[in-house]
Amino acid sequence: MRLSNEGGWRPGAAGLRRIGARLAAGIAMGLVATGAALAQASSAGGAEPASGIGAPVPWGIGLQPSGGPVKAAIAELNTMVLAIIIAISIFVTLLLAWCIWRYRAKVNPTPSKTSHNTALEIAWTVIPVLILIVIAIPSFRLVYYQDRAREADLTVNVQGRQWYWHYEYPDHGNLAFDSRPVPADELKPGQIRNLSVDEPLVIPVGQTVRVLTTGQDVIHSFFVPSLGVQKYTIPGRTLETWFRADRPGVYYGQCNQICGTNHWFMPIEVHAVPEREFRAWLERARARAALGLPPGGAPGAAVAEGAPGAPTNRQTAEVRR
């Protein structure tokens, strides 16, 4: 670099080459990263979660693969907005590089003193407004789409508590139970540290699930990324949202509202199973609830006959009646 006759800084040829190389490298790295994000986001509408699990993966970029229509709509909006951001970023970067090169002191020793340009000012006011309108219309549609369930097949009451979740099925005899994380030293094969729970939320595949949230003590947040559901649980208020799982699988989430010292202690595990398997789990859970017992784990979890806390055939028959 060197100083100009006017005392200002003026880059030399070597300096300009270094600036150009850095700009090119930055643009290339940005395009690689955003291209990978676009590829994953675009696949979020139909890709199967890794190993059938809706959970974070190492070095994951972009959104988790979707497990239902709500998340697919979120992924579609995310892809559109990301494309707009990339286009704007490339345009501004190229414009900046062109201005640096075209109006450098060596070739433009007498800078323009123009302070107003009506056409340019109208353009840089109207174009951003149009871009915001393009983003706002699908955003509002998505907000209303997520708002309430139409003709829900199943209702689940979700209550956030310090620090665990309480679930209730009002359509099925008010079956209710608590859900807490599995301690690290008790994890079984296939379970995930800080995400697996002792009593997961079980839903049937392909059915619309209405979620009613409330809080017992402080504000929590019911958040399952791969199903596109997030709703605060606020004490004294009942909020509504919905989701649907279009494929069987296990979908994980967490409370993403900082709700206290054990905020991390509120993972969410949702099992989406076929209708027949859901009915079998529901029958077992109601039988155990009549005895004051929790459902006994995920669908398919065997509770041995005669084991401590397991209902006998006679007790189960009485509950059915």
Side-chain angles (χ1 to χ4, degrees), residues 263-301:
H263 155 68
W264 68 272
F265 214 62
M266 298 184 66
I268 302 165
E269 182 178 344
V270 180
H271 283 242
V273 298
E275 172 71 14
R276 179 180 301 178
E277 192 171 342
F278 173 73
R279 292 292 175 185
W281 173 85
L282 189 62
E283 182 178 353
R284 186 191 74 187
R286 293 177 63 182
R288 289 174 59 83
L291 303 174
L293 301 173

